[in-house]
Amino acid sequence: MTILDGKALSEELIDSVKEKASNLKPTLAVILVGENPASLAYVKNKKKACEKTGIEYIEYKYPATITQEELLKKIEEVNQDDNVNGLIVQLPLPDHIYVPEVIKAVAPKKDVDGFHAYNIGKMFLSPEFEDLPPATPFGIVKLLDHYDIPIEGKDVVVVGHSNIVGKPISMMMLNRNATVTTCHIYTKDLAAHTKNADILIVAVGKEKLITADMVKDGAVVVDVGMNRREDGSLCGDVDFDEVSKKASYITPVPGGVGPMTVAALILNTIRATERQNQP
Ligand code: NAP
């Protein structure tokens, strides 16, 4: 069994674009609303990665009471700011903010999270159009590619169908000629599907959802889940200790998909800047 070391690869990828960053001088802006502890931790990691790469990082912080109009106004201001190349509105947002409107408001060319319908739509068409793909799925593809794990012709099972992970990673696997099954809360018999997976990608947010009896011998297991236990430790959706005895490759949590998401954001920021600099 091989651990898919997202932390090491993330550092390698960040190192590999330092020179480009020093020529391009990109700027990434993050809008942070409220004090959600997970968001504060994610934003801290993004800032650290920008500093390591040589990307200028700007943070706009607002209280959870910000109105939707005020937030949309700020997004438009950043959209118009030629000094900013990438813009992230950190999710989740308070309940009174309508997230689809917020995602729609970010200029597609600065949408380094890859959530805007324009970028999702392009990704739908073919891998050549994956200019700014959603960061977590992009990170997963980079991780599989780095370990030379073939995707074409494989049975890929994705558990979870969110707009930011489950649906886009399903599409990116289909773009690479996998046979894809996407499972979710309405799936009648989850184990019947997961047992067939050559590559199993789990993005739900439930500790130990995937147990060893649900996994085929030799499967590649990618655990996107990020769950905080009562004692403060982090774990994924997969029972790592048991499943790792059957898997051929598996991502740890932490140290797997999380750092790859950050690396993908950095790559997207560089790519967005390059495209904005094109005549
Ligand atoms: P989400 O929007 O809550 O989506 C969860 C998905 O799982 C939904 O499709 C849901 O279906 C499905 N689901 C819920 N219970 C299920 C069950 N028992 N069996 C099968 N499917 C079930 O979450 P998300 O944003 O995709 O995130 C998923 C997890 O990944 C979270 O733990 C999150 O923290 C983590 N995450 C990690 C990273 C990273 O960088 N490592 C990035 C993003 C997310 P319904 O919608 O029908 O309920």
Side-chain angles (χ1 to χ4, degrees):
M1 186 273 301
T2 302
I3 298 273
L4 296 169
D5 189 345
K7 188 165 184 288
L9 178 58
S10 160
E11 282 165 13
E12 224 177 89
L13 288 170
I14 286 173
D15 262 354
S16 74
V17 294
K18 272 183 182 167
E19 202 179 313
K20 263 191 184 174
S22 82
N23 295 329
L24 290 164
K25 304 198 182 344
T27 297
L28 175 67
V30 174
I31 298 180
L32 179 62
V33 178
E35 299 282 336
N36 178 316
S39 295
L40 293 173
Y42 292 145
V43 160
K44 204 170 116 196
N45 288 342
K46 290 168 192 175
K47 182 178 180 201
K48 239 166 64 187
C50 283
E51 284 166 358
K52 274 192 200 157
T53 317
I55 292 175
E56 191 173 331
Y57 175 90
I58 305 173
E59 197 170 289
Y60 299 108
K61 281 187 90 166
Y62 294 97
T65 50
I66 189 172
T67 65
Q68 173 143 331
E69 290 66 34
E70 285 166 331
L71 181 57
L72 293 178
K73 195 167 157 237
K74 182 65 195 174
I75 292 170
E76 190 46 30
E77 191 187 304
V78 180
N79 284 343
Q80 298 298 332
D81 183 348
D82 288 339
N83 294 318
V84 175
N85 306 100
L87 169 59
I88 292 172
V89 183
Q90 183 64 45
L91 301 181
L93 290 166
D95 289 345
H96 65 277
I97 308 264
Y98 185 51
V99 175
E101 276 301 322
V102 171
I103 290 172
K104 195 169 93 181
V106 174
K109 66 178 183 180
K110 298 190 181 187
D111 169 41
V112 292
D113 257 335
F115 294 163
H116 193 286
Y118 176 83
N119 290 315
I120 296 278
K122 281 182 80 177
M123 183 203 69
F124 192 94
L125 297 173
S126 88
E128 296 92 83
F129 294 125
E130 290 171 3
D131 292 326
L132 293 178
T136 301
F138 184 26
I140 294 171
V141 169
K142 281 268 168 204
L143 193 57
L144 296 177
D145 286 350
H146 177 77
Y147 283 87
D148 289 326
I149 294 170
I151 297 171
E152 189 162 274
K154 298 295 175 190
D155 289 324
V156 174
V157 176
V158 176
V159 188
H161 67 167
S162 71
N163 285 339
I164 65 170
V165 189
K167 278 193 223 168
I169 190 63
S170 298
M171 192 49 61
M172 288 174 87
M173 291 291 117
L174 190 57
N175 275 346
R176 288 158 181 78
N177 301 321
T179 302
V180 183
T181 305
T182 308
C183 302
H184 43 76
I185 194 78
Y186 297 104
T187 298
K188 280 188 281 183
D189 184 352
L190 182 62
H193 295 285
T194 58
K195 272 186 210 163
N196 286 327
D198 299 315
I199 302 175
L200 176 61
I201 302 173
V202 191
V204 170
K206 278 203 172 74
E207 183 177 358
K208 293 197 180 170
L209 176 70
I210 303 296
T211 47
D213 55 315
M214 298 168 78
V215 178
K216 182 163 91 173
D217 275 323
V220 175
V221 180
V222 177
D223 190 354
V224 185
M226 197 95 89
N227 308 301
R228 182 79 60 187
R229 295 194 187 101
E230 274 182 15
D231 66 3
S233 61
L234 270 182
C235 67
D237 294 344
V238 174
D239 181 354
F240 182 89
D241 291 342
E242 294 306 315
V243 172
S244 56
K245 292 177 190 159
K246 287 179 99 176
S248 56
Y249 294 88
I250 187 166
T251 58
V253 179
V257 176
M260 288 306 299
T261 298
V262 176
L265 275 174
I266 295 293
L267 297 182
N268 273 352
T269 304
I270 300 274
R271 208 179 282 186
T273 311
E274 279 174 336
R275 292 175 72 86
Q276 288 161 35
N277 285 354
Q278 277 164 10

